[in-house]
Amino acid sequence: MLSNVHTGFVLLWSIRLIAFLLHREFINWPEWHAKVREVNRRGSLQSKCTIWLTCSAFYSTMLYPCMKRIVTDEKTAKWTLLGKSGLLLQCIGLLVEAIADYQKGEFKRIKGNRNKFCD
């Protein structure tokens, strides 16, 4: 059951992140989309590949524990205090990240704050 909870948190995080990025790029800040297209146009293939490989490695290492737990026999897999603490930290991190993105979005909506740093 805890393996499913862990995988569910990763799934929720990914859905929240993609929703935030799409909302920011197409609804909240359409000028950003034009900037991204310009950077994409000017970027070299080598820099794009480096970014893709780095992101792929990051997301693979984040997803690996979920996949490992799913294929491991539940009778032999033990959720120690460290693993349960990790689930709690994952839940808190998801909540804090969502709140921070909301606060940043609200700050950026205020006229004159578009290019300022939200602290």
Side-chain angles (χ1 to χ4, degrees):
M1 167 140 161
L2 291 177
S3 298
N4 293 337
V5 170
H6 179 226
T7 305
F9 279 146
V10 171
L11 182 62
L12 281 174
W13 175 81
S14 63
I15 291 169
R16 193 212 65 77
L17 179 63
I18 194 68
F20 167 77
L21 292 174
L22 289 173
H23 184 268
R24 180 187 71 185
E25 189 163 333
F26 294 107
I27 297 170
N28 194 28
W29 196 359
E31 303 88 33
W32 181 257
H33 185 66
K35 281 183 184 181
V36 169
R37 280 195 315 229
E38 179 62 23
V39 168
N40 224 359
R41 188 184 63 77
R42 285 199 257 155
S44 69
L45 181 61
Q46 181 183 2
S47 66
K48 290 177 185 178
C49 286
T50 302
I51 291 169
W52 276 99
L53 289 172
T54 303
C55 288
S56 297
F58 171 72
Y59 290 121
S60 295
T61 57
M62 194 169 70
L63 190 60
Y64 178 75
C66 297
M67 292 174 14
K68 180 75 174 156
R69 280 288 182 176
I70 288 172
V71 299
T72 303
D73 183 16
E74 285 294 326
K75 293 175 184 153
T76 60
K78 302 267 190 265
W79 275 89
T80 63
L81 181 60
L82 181 63
K84 292 175 183 175
S85 300
L87 283 178
L88 180 62
L89 185 62
Q90 187 179 14
C91 180
I92 292 169
L94 180 64
L95 182 64
V96 168
E97 185 180 33
I99 292 169
D101 282 341
Y102 173 77
Q103 289 174 339
K104 184 174 70 172
E106 291 299 309
F107 175 81
K108 296 285 185 178
R109 275 189 211 149
I110 297 171
K111 188 173 180 158
N113 285 351
R114 177 64 70 193
N115 294 314
K116 290 184 180 176
F117 181 74
C118 176
D119 61 358

